[in-house]
Amino acid sequence: MKPGIVKAGKWLLNALLPRTCAHCALDLHYLEEAPLCPGCRAGLEPLSQPYCARCGLPLQDGGRDCYDCRGSGGPRALALARSAFVFNAQLRSAVHAFKYRGRKDLSVFLSREMARELERFPELSAYKFIVAVPLHPAKLRERGFNQAELLAGGLAPAAGLFHLEGAAARLRDTRSQTTLSKAERRANMAGAFGAAKPELVKGRSILLVDDVATTLATLEALAAALKNAGAKAVAAYTLAREP
Ligand SMILES: [Zn+2]
Ligand SMILES: [Zn+2]
């Protein structure tokens, strides 16, 4: 299609269905592809130093590793975790629209932002194969799409990585983690994942992709399953990190 026609189509669509910023509800320009207005977009905060060298947790007072990673509470199967952004109010609104208001299209904007921020982490450059954190089939039916799979699908071509679709599966539908302690979350997630196609991960350095990381219990459980299936090393990269 000619660019002029696409532009006219966007203008018309916007006139019929005006789009608003997912955070402040300001009207968006009809050519704006982001879910956020320029002001809210400028409010996205790349997760910057200091953060834990191992698990990527933002650190208040500097130092190399967080409290958990200095002791025995840090990740074991997961070699490294990094996140593109702090999970602040602007990003929270965008992620909420993406996941819970069916704005599948926002994966294009969000995965492009992830690809750009990935360049800040040369320590992840050896991980060339992406596996998205899988949803349980019941959850997938309910939501209609897996947000991590969409982010992985956008990130892979933009960052020169290979997306291993369907490599992992969620075996158990785990209960909501929000009220659980760190130790309970880990126990809750144990055995939740399996390698659906072990031949895809064997001997490879795998980068797990998800939208928001909190305690890393989910990523750690998936990393353990892929290591069991023969993955050489497993790291994780998420859109956001919630301390
Ligand atoms: Zn806004
Ligand atoms: Zn740490």
Short mmCIF file of all heavy atoms in Angstrom, two decimals, residues 146-207:
data_model
loop_
_atom_site.label_atom_id
_atom_site.label_comp_id
_atom_site.label_asym_id
_atom_site.label_seq_id
_atom_site.Cartn_x
_atom_site.Cartn_y
_atom_site.Cartn_z
N ASN A 146 -0.28 -14.68 24.44
CA ASN A 146 0.77 -14.68 25.47
C ASN A 146 1.63 -13.43 25.26
O ASN A 146 2.34 -13.32 24.26
CB ASN A 146 1.61 -15.95 25.35
CG ASN A 146 2.79 -15.95 26.34
OD1 ASN A 146 3.00 -14.98 27.07
ND2 ASN A 146 3.56 -17.01 26.33
N GLN A 147 1.56 -12.52 26.21
CA GLN A 147 2.27 -11.24 26.05
C GLN A 147 3.78 -11.43 25.90
O GLN A 147 4.43 -10.70 25.14
CB GLN A 147 1.95 -10.29 27.21
CG GLN A 147 2.58 -10.62 28.55
CD GLN A 147 1.85 -11.73 29.31
OE1 GLN A 147 0.84 -12.26 28.83
NE2 GLN A 147 2.35 -12.07 30.48
N ALA A 148 4.34 -12.44 26.59
CA ALA A 148 5.79 -12.68 26.51
C ALA A 148 6.17 -13.18 25.11
O ALA A 148 7.21 -12.80 24.56
CB ALA A 148 6.21 -13.69 27.57
N GLU A 149 5.30 -14.02 24.54
CA GLU A 149 5.55 -14.56 23.19
C GLU A 149 5.54 -13.42 22.16
O GLU A 149 6.36 -13.38 21.25
CB GLU A 149 4.44 -15.58 22.87
CG GLU A 149 4.76 -16.57 21.78
CD GLU A 149 5.73 -17.67 22.22
OE1 GLU A 149 5.52 -18.27 23.28
OE2 GLU A 149 6.69 -17.91 21.48
N LEU A 150 4.62 -12.48 22.32
CA LEU A 150 4.55 -11.34 21.40
C LEU A 150 5.78 -10.45 21.54
O LEU A 150 6.33 -9.97 20.54
CB LEU A 150 3.29 -10.51 21.65
CG LEU A 150 1.95 -11.18 21.32
CD1 LEU A 150 0.80 -10.22 21.59
CD2 LEU A 150 1.90 -11.65 19.87
N LEU A 151 6.24 -10.23 22.77
CA LEU A 151 7.45 -9.41 22.98
C LEU A 151 8.66 -10.12 22.36
O LEU A 151 9.48 -9.48 21.71
CB LEU A 151 7.69 -9.16 24.47
CG LEU A 151 6.68 -8.24 25.18
CD1 LEU A 151 7.00 -8.16 26.67
CD2 LEU A 151 6.68 -6.84 24.57
N ALA A 152 8.74 -11.43 22.57
CA ALA A 152 9.86 -12.20 22.02
C ALA A 152 9.85 -12.15 20.49
O ALA A 152 10.89 -11.99 19.85
CB ALA A 152 9.78 -13.65 22.50
N GLY A 153 8.66 -12.25 19.92
CA GLY A 153 8.50 -12.22 18.46
C GLY A 153 8.93 -10.89 17.86
O GLY A 153 9.40 -10.83 16.73
N GLY A 154 8.77 -9.81 18.60
CA GLY A 154 9.19 -8.50 18.12
C GLY A 154 10.66 -8.25 18.40
O GLY A 154 11.37 -7.65 17.59
N LEU A 155 11.12 -8.72 19.54
CA LEU A 155 12.51 -8.48 19.96
C LEU A 155 13.51 -9.23 19.08
O LEU A 155 14.55 -8.68 18.73
CB LEU A 155 12.67 -8.89 21.44
CG LEU A 155 14.07 -8.81 22.03
CD1 LEU A 155 14.59 -7.38 22.03
CD2 LEU A 155 14.08 -9.36 23.46
N ALA A 156 13.19 -10.49 18.74
CA ALA A 156 14.16 -11.33 18.02
C ALA A 156 14.66 -10.68 16.72
O ALA A 156 15.87 -10.48 16.57
CB ALA A 156 13.57 -12.72 17.78
N PRO A 157 13.77 -10.31 15.79
CA PRO A 157 14.28 -9.72 14.54
C PRO A 157 14.96 -8.36 14.77
O PRO A 157 15.94 -8.04 14.11
CB PRO A 157 13.04 -9.57 13.66
CG PRO A 157 11.87 -9.64 14.58
CD PRO A 157 12.31 -10.46 15.75
N ALA A 158 14.45 -7.59 15.74
CA ALA A 158 15.01 -6.26 15.98
C ALA A 158 16.41 -6.34 16.59
O ALA A 158 17.21 -5.42 16.42
CB ALA A 158 14.08 -5.47 16.91
N ALA A 159 16.70 -7.42 17.32
CA ALA A 159 17.99 -7.52 18.01
C ALA A 159 18.90 -8.59 17.41
O ALA A 159 19.95 -8.90 17.98
CB ALA A 159 17.74 -7.80 19.50
N GLY A 160 18.49 -9.18 16.29
CA GLY A 160 19.32 -10.21 15.65
C GLY A 160 19.40 -11.50 16.44
O GLY A 160 20.45 -12.16 16.48
N LEU A 161 18.31 -11.87 17.09
CA LEU A 161 18.27 -13.10 17.88
C LEU A 161 17.29 -14.09 17.26
O LEU A 161 16.49 -13.73 16.39
CB LEU A 161 17.83 -12.76 19.32
CG LEU A 161 18.68 -11.71 20.05
CD1 LEU A 161 18.02 -11.31 21.36
CD2 LEU A 161 20.08 -12.23 20.28
N PHE A 162 17.33 -15.34 17.73
CA PHE A 162 16.43 -16.36 17.19
C PHE A 162 15.36 -16.69 18.23
O PHE A 162 15.67 -16.99 19.37
CB PHE A 162 17.20 -17.63 16.85
CG PHE A 162 18.30 -17.40 15.86
CD1 PHE A 162 19.59 -17.11 16.29
CD2 PHE A 162 18.04 -17.44 14.49
CE1 PHE A 162 20.60 -16.86 15.38
CE2 PHE A 162 19.04 -17.20 13.58
CZ PHE A 162 20.33 -16.90 14.01
N HIS A 163 14.12 -16.63 17.79
CA HIS A 163 13.00 -16.90 18.68
C HIS A 163 12.64 -18.38 18.58
O HIS A 163 12.22 -18.85 17.51
CB HIS A 163 11.82 -16.02 18.24
CG HIS A 163 10.59 -16.19 19.06
ND1 HIS A 163 9.33 -15.82 18.61
CD2 HIS A 163 10.40 -16.70 20.30
CE1 HIS A 163 8.43 -16.08 19.54
NE2 HIS A 163 9.05 -16.62 20.57
N LEU A 164 12.82 -19.13 19.67
CA LEU A 164 12.49 -20.56 19.67
C LEU A 164 11.03 -20.70 20.14
O LEU A 164 10.76 -20.78 21.33
CB LEU A 164 13.43 -21.32 20.62
CG LEU A 164 14.93 -21.15 20.37
CD1 LEU A 164 15.73 -21.88 21.44
CD2 LEU A 164 15.31 -21.66 18.98
N GLU A 165 10.13 -20.73 19.17
CA GLU A 165 8.71 -20.77 19.54
C GLU A 165 8.32 -22.14 20.07
O GLU A 165 8.72 -23.16 19.52
CB GLU A 165 7.85 -20.44 18.31
CG GLU A 165 7.85 -18.97 17.99
CD GLU A 165 7.01 -18.66 16.76
OE1 GLU A 165 5.79 -18.89 16.83
OE2 GLU A 165 7.59 -18.22 15.77
N GLY A 166 7.55 -22.13 21.12
CA GLY A 166 7.02 -23.37 21.67
C GLY A 166 8.07 -24.28 22.30
O GLY A 166 7.84 -25.47 22.48
N ALA A 167 9.24 -23.72 22.65
CA ALA A 167 10.30 -24.56 23.21
C ALA A 167 9.98 -25.00 24.64
O ALA A 167 10.40 -26.05 25.09
CB ALA A 167 11.63 -23.80 23.20
N ALA A 168 9.22 -24.15 25.35
CA ALA A 168 8.90 -24.47 26.75
C ALA A 168 7.39 -24.52 26.94
O ALA A 168 6.64 -23.92 26.17
CB ALA A 168 9.51 -23.42 27.67
N ALA A 169 6.95 -25.23 27.98
CA ALA A 169 5.52 -25.31 28.27
C ALA A 169 5.28 -25.13 29.76
O ALA A 169 6.13 -25.48 30.58
CB ALA A 169 4.96 -26.67 27.82
N ARG A 170 4.12 -24.58 30.07
CA ARG A 170 3.72 -24.46 31.47
C ARG A 170 2.93 -25.70 31.81
O ARG A 170 1.91 -25.98 31.18
CB ARG A 170 2.86 -23.22 31.64
CG ARG A 170 2.70 -22.82 33.08
CD ARG A 170 2.83 -21.33 33.13
NE ARG A 170 2.87 -20.80 34.47
CZ ARG A 170 3.30 -19.58 34.73
NH1 ARG A 170 3.70 -18.81 33.77
NH2 ARG A 170 3.31 -19.14 35.96
N LEU A 171 3.41 -26.45 32.78
CA LEU A 171 2.78 -27.73 33.11
C LEU A 171 1.70 -27.56 34.16
O LEU A 171 0.73 -28.30 34.19
CB LEU A 171 3.82 -28.72 33.62
CG LEU A 171 5.04 -28.90 32.70
CD1 LEU A 171 6.08 -29.80 33.35
CD2 LEU A 171 4.62 -29.46 31.34
N ARG A 172 1.91 -26.61 35.06
CA ARG A 172 0.95 -26.39 36.14
C ARG A 172 0.46 -24.96 36.09
O ARG A 172 1.23 -24.05 35.81
CB ARG A 172 1.63 -26.62 37.50
CG ARG A 172 1.75 -28.07 37.89
CD ARG A 172 2.07 -28.20 39.37
NE ARG A 172 3.31 -27.56 39.75
CZ ARG A 172 3.39 -26.51 40.56
NH1 ARG A 172 2.29 -25.96 41.06
NH2 ARG A 172 4.56 -25.98 40.87
N ASP A 173 -0.82 -24.76 36.39
CA ASP A 173 -1.36 -23.42 36.50
C ASP A 173 -1.15 -22.99 37.95
O ASP A 173 -1.82 -23.47 38.85
CB ASP A 173 -2.86 -23.43 36.15
CG ASP A 173 -3.37 -22.04 35.82
OD1 ASP A 173 -2.54 -21.09 35.78
OD2 ASP A 173 -4.58 -21.89 35.62
N THR A 174 -0.18 -22.10 38.16
CA THR A 174 0.15 -21.73 39.54
C THR A 174 -0.78 -20.65 40.03
O THR A 174 -1.23 -19.82 39.26
CB THR A 174 1.60 -21.22 39.59
OG1 THR A 174 1.77 -20.29 38.53
CG2 THR A 174 2.57 -22.36 39.41
N ARG A 175 -1.03 -20.65 41.33
CA ARG A 175 -1.92 -19.62 41.86
C ARG A 175 -1.21 -18.28 41.87
O ARG A 175 0.01 -18.21 41.74
CB ARG A 175 -2.42 -20.01 43.25
CG ARG A 175 -1.36 -20.09 44.32
CD ARG A 175 -1.96 -20.74 45.57
NE ARG A 175 -0.92 -21.04 46.52
CZ ARG A 175 -0.77 -20.36 47.66
NH1 ARG A 175 -1.56 -19.37 47.96
NH2 ARG A 175 0.20 -20.68 48.48
N SER A 176 -1.98 -17.25 42.02
CA SER A 176 -1.42 -15.90 41.98
C SER A 176 -0.32 -15.76 43.01
O SER A 176 -0.42 -16.24 44.13
CB SER A 176 -2.52 -14.87 42.23
OG SER A 176 -1.92 -13.61 42.46
N GLN A 177 0.75 -15.07 42.62
CA GLN A 177 1.95 -14.99 43.46
C GLN A 177 1.95 -13.74 44.34
O GLN A 177 2.83 -13.60 45.18
CB GLN A 177 3.19 -14.91 42.57
CG GLN A 177 3.31 -16.02 41.58
CD GLN A 177 4.52 -16.86 41.86
OE1 GLN A 177 4.50 -17.72 42.71
NE2 GLN A 177 5.58 -16.59 41.16
N THR A 178 0.99 -12.85 44.10
CA THR A 178 1.11 -11.52 44.69
C THR A 178 1.11 -11.50 46.21
O THR A 178 1.69 -10.61 46.80
CB THR A 178 -0.01 -10.58 44.18
OG1 THR A 178 -1.24 -11.28 44.28
CG2 THR A 178 0.23 -10.18 42.74
N THR A 179 0.46 -12.48 46.85
CA THR A 179 0.41 -12.45 48.32
C THR A 179 1.47 -13.33 48.97
O THR A 179 1.52 -13.45 50.18
CB THR A 179 -0.97 -12.93 48.82
OG1 THR A 179 -1.16 -14.27 48.34
CG2 THR A 179 -2.11 -12.05 48.30
N LEU A 180 2.31 -13.97 48.13
CA LEU A 180 3.27 -14.93 48.67
C LEU A 180 4.63 -14.28 48.99
O LEU A 180 5.03 -13.32 48.35
CB LEU A 180 3.50 -16.06 47.66
CG LEU A 180 2.26 -16.83 47.20
CD1 LEU A 180 2.66 -17.92 46.21
CD2 LEU A 180 1.51 -17.44 48.37
N SER A 181 5.32 -14.88 49.96
CA SER A 181 6.68 -14.42 50.28
C SER A 181 7.61 -14.97 49.21
O SER A 181 7.23 -15.80 48.38
CB SER A 181 7.09 -14.96 51.65
OG SER A 181 7.37 -16.35 51.53
N LYS A 182 8.86 -14.52 49.26
CA LYS A 182 9.86 -14.94 48.28
C LYS A 182 10.04 -16.46 48.27
O LYS A 182 10.05 -17.11 47.22
CB LYS A 182 11.18 -14.26 48.61
CG LYS A 182 11.86 -13.67 47.40
CD LYS A 182 13.12 -12.96 47.82
CE LYS A 182 12.94 -11.47 47.72
NZ LYS A 182 14.17 -10.73 47.99
N ALA A 183 10.17 -17.04 49.48
CA ALA A 183 10.38 -18.49 49.58
C ALA A 183 9.15 -19.26 49.11
O ALA A 183 9.26 -20.28 48.42
CB ALA A 183 10.71 -18.86 51.02
N GLU A 184 7.96 -18.72 49.44
CA GLU A 184 6.72 -19.38 49.01
C GLU A 184 6.57 -19.33 47.49
O GLU A 184 6.09 -20.27 46.87
CB GLU A 184 5.52 -18.70 49.67
CG GLU A 184 5.36 -19.04 51.15
CD GLU A 184 4.33 -18.16 51.85
OE1 GLU A 184 4.10 -17.01 51.41
OE2 GLU A 184 3.77 -18.62 52.86
N ARG A 185 6.98 -18.21 46.90
CA ARG A 185 6.88 -18.09 45.45
C ARG A 185 7.75 -19.14 44.76
O ARG A 185 7.37 -19.74 43.77
CB ARG A 185 7.35 -16.70 44.99
CG ARG A 185 6.34 -15.63 45.27
CD ARG A 185 6.81 -14.30 44.70
NE ARG A 185 5.97 -13.22 45.17
CZ ARG A 185 5.63 -12.16 44.44
NH1 ARG A 185 6.08 -12.04 43.21
NH2 ARG A 185 4.87 -11.22 44.92
N ARG A 186 8.93 -19.33 45.33
CA ARG A 186 9.85 -20.30 44.74
C ARG A 186 9.26 -21.71 44.81
O ARG A 186 9.28 -22.46 43.84
CB ARG A 186 11.20 -20.23 45.45
CG ARG A 186 12.29 -20.81 44.63
CD ARG A 186 13.64 -20.42 45.15
NE ARG A 186 14.04 -19.11 44.69
CZ ARG A 186 15.22 -18.56 44.96
NH1 ARG A 186 16.08 -19.20 45.70
NH2 ARG A 186 15.54 -17.39 44.50
N ALA A 187 8.70 -22.06 45.99
CA ALA A 187 8.09 -23.38 46.16
C ALA A 187 6.87 -23.52 45.24
O ALA A 187 6.65 -24.57 44.64
CB ALA A 187 7.68 -23.57 47.62
N ASN A 188 6.12 -22.43 45.11
CA ASN A 188 4.92 -22.41 44.28
C ASN A 188 5.24 -22.68 42.81
O ASN A 188 4.48 -23.30 42.09
CB ASN A 188 4.24 -21.04 44.43
CG ASN A 188 2.90 -20.93 43.74
OD1 ASN A 188 2.13 -21.89 43.74
ND2 ASN A 188 2.62 -19.79 43.14
N MET A 189 6.40 -22.21 42.35
CA MET A 189 6.77 -22.32 40.94
C MET A 189 7.53 -23.60 40.61
O MET A 189 7.70 -23.93 39.43
CB MET A 189 7.65 -21.13 40.53
CG MET A 189 6.96 -19.79 40.49
SD MET A 189 5.43 -19.78 39.53
CE MET A 189 6.03 -20.31 37.93
N ALA A 190 8.03 -24.32 41.64
CA ALA A 190 8.85 -25.51 41.39
C ALA A 190 8.09 -26.50 40.51
O ALA A 190 6.95 -26.84 40.79
CB ALA A 190 9.26 -26.15 42.71
N GLY A 191 8.71 -26.94 39.44
CA GLY A 191 8.10 -27.93 38.54
C GLY A 191 6.98 -27.37 37.69
O GLY A 191 6.22 -28.13 37.08
N ALA A 192 6.85 -26.04 37.63
CA ALA A 192 5.74 -25.45 36.85
C ALA A 192 6.00 -25.50 35.35
O ALA A 192 5.07 -25.39 34.55
CB ALA A 192 5.50 -24.01 37.29
N PHE A 193 7.27 -25.66 34.96
CA PHE A 193 7.61 -25.63 33.53
C PHE A 193 8.29 -26.91 33.07
O PHE A 193 8.90 -27.62 33.88
CB PHE A 193 8.56 -24.47 33.25
CG PHE A 193 7.97 -23.12 33.52
CD1 PHE A 193 8.30 -22.42 34.67
CD2 PHE A 193 7.07 -22.55 32.62
CE1 PHE A 193 7.76 -21.18 34.92
CE2 PHE A 193 6.52 -21.30 32.86
CZ PHE A 193 6.86 -20.61 34.02
N GLY A 194 8.23 -27.15 31.79
CA GLY A 194 8.98 -28.24 31.18
C GLY A 194 9.46 -27.80 29.81
O GLY A 194 8.94 -26.84 29.25
N ALA A 195 10.46 -28.50 29.28
CA ALA A 195 10.92 -28.21 27.92
C ALA A 195 10.05 -29.01 26.97
O ALA A 195 10.05 -30.23 26.99
CB ALA A 195 12.38 -28.60 27.77
N ALA A 196 9.25 -28.30 26.15
CA ALA A 196 8.35 -28.99 25.22
C ALA A 196 9.13 -29.53 24.03
O ALA A 196 8.77 -30.55 23.45
CB ALA A 196 7.26 -28.03 24.76
N LYS A 197 10.20 -28.84 23.65
CA LYS A 197 11.04 -29.27 22.53
C LYS A 197 12.50 -29.19 22.97
O LYS A 197 13.21 -28.23 22.63
CB LYS A 197 10.81 -28.37 21.31
CG LYS A 197 9.40 -28.46 20.75
CD LYS A 197 9.22 -27.49 19.60
CE LYS A 197 7.78 -27.48 19.12
NZ LYS A 197 7.48 -26.32 18.28
N PRO A 198 12.98 -30.21 23.72
CA PRO A 198 14.34 -30.16 24.27
C PRO A 198 15.39 -30.00 23.18
O PRO A 198 16.44 -29.38 23.41
CB PRO A 198 14.49 -31.51 24.99
CG PRO A 198 13.15 -32.14 25.00
CD PRO A 198 12.25 -31.43 24.07
N GLU A 199 15.12 -30.53 21.99
CA GLU A 199 16.12 -30.43 20.91
C GLU A 199 16.40 -28.98 20.53
O GLU A 199 17.47 -28.65 20.00
CB GLU A 199 15.67 -31.26 19.69
CG GLU A 199 14.46 -30.74 18.91
CD GLU A 199 13.09 -31.08 19.54
OE1 GLU A 199 13.04 -31.58 20.69
OE2 GLU A 199 12.07 -30.82 18.87
N LEU A 200 15.46 -28.08 20.81
CA LEU A 200 15.66 -26.67 20.47
C LEU A 200 16.58 -25.96 21.45
O LEU A 200 17.21 -24.96 21.10
CB LEU A 200 14.31 -25.92 20.44
CG LEU A 200 13.34 -26.21 19.31
CD1 LEU A 200 12.13 -25.31 19.41
CD2 LEU A 200 14.02 -26.02 17.96
N VAL A 201 16.63 -26.42 22.67
CA VAL A 201 17.42 -25.70 23.69
C VAL A 201 18.77 -26.35 23.99
O VAL A 201 19.66 -25.72 24.54
CB VAL A 201 16.63 -25.52 25.01
CG1 VAL A 201 15.35 -24.73 24.76
CG2 VAL A 201 16.31 -26.84 25.68
N LYS A 202 18.91 -27.62 23.63
CA LYS A 202 20.11 -28.39 23.98
C LYS A 202 21.41 -27.71 23.50
O LYS A 202 21.54 -27.35 22.33
CB LYS A 202 20.00 -29.78 23.34
CG LYS A 202 20.81 -30.78 24.07
CD LYS A 202 20.49 -32.20 23.67
CE LYS A 202 21.43 -33.03 24.52
NZ LYS A 202 21.34 -34.40 24.36
N GLY A 203 22.33 -27.51 24.43
CA GLY A 203 23.64 -26.96 24.09
C GLY A 203 23.64 -25.48 23.77
O GLY A 203 24.66 -24.92 23.39
N ARG A 204 22.48 -24.81 23.89
CA ARG A 204 22.39 -23.41 23.51
C ARG A 204 22.33 -22.47 24.72
O ARG A 204 21.90 -22.87 25.79
CB ARG A 204 21.14 -23.18 22.65
CG ARG A 204 21.30 -23.78 21.27
CD ARG A 204 20.05 -23.66 20.45
NE ARG A 204 20.37 -23.87 19.04
CZ ARG A 204 19.47 -24.03 18.08
NH1 ARG A 204 18.19 -23.99 18.36
NH2 ARG A 204 19.85 -24.22 16.84
N SER A 205 22.75 -21.23 24.48
CA SER A 205 22.64 -20.19 25.51
C SER A 205 21.32 -19.46 25.28
O SER A 205 21.12 -18.83 24.25
CB SER A 205 23.81 -19.22 25.42
OG SER A 205 25.00 -19.91 25.73
N ILE A 206 20.43 -19.61 26.24
CA ILE A 206 19.04 -19.17 26.09
C ILE A 206 18.77 -17.88 26.85
O ILE A 206 19.17 -17.73 28.00
CB ILE A 206 18.08 -20.25 26.66
CG1 ILE A 206 18.35 -21.63 26.04
CG2 ILE A 206 16.62 -19.84 26.49
CD1 ILE A 206 17.96 -21.79 24.61
N LEU A 207 18.04 -16.96 26.19
CA LEU A 207 17.60 -15.73 26.83
C LEU A 207 16.09 -15.82 27.05
O LEU A 207 15.32 -15.87 26.09
CB LEU A 207 17.93 -14.53 25.93
CG LEU A 207 17.72 -13.15 26.54
CD1 LEU A 207 18.67 -12.92 27.73
CD2 LEU A 207 17.93 -12.06 25.50
#
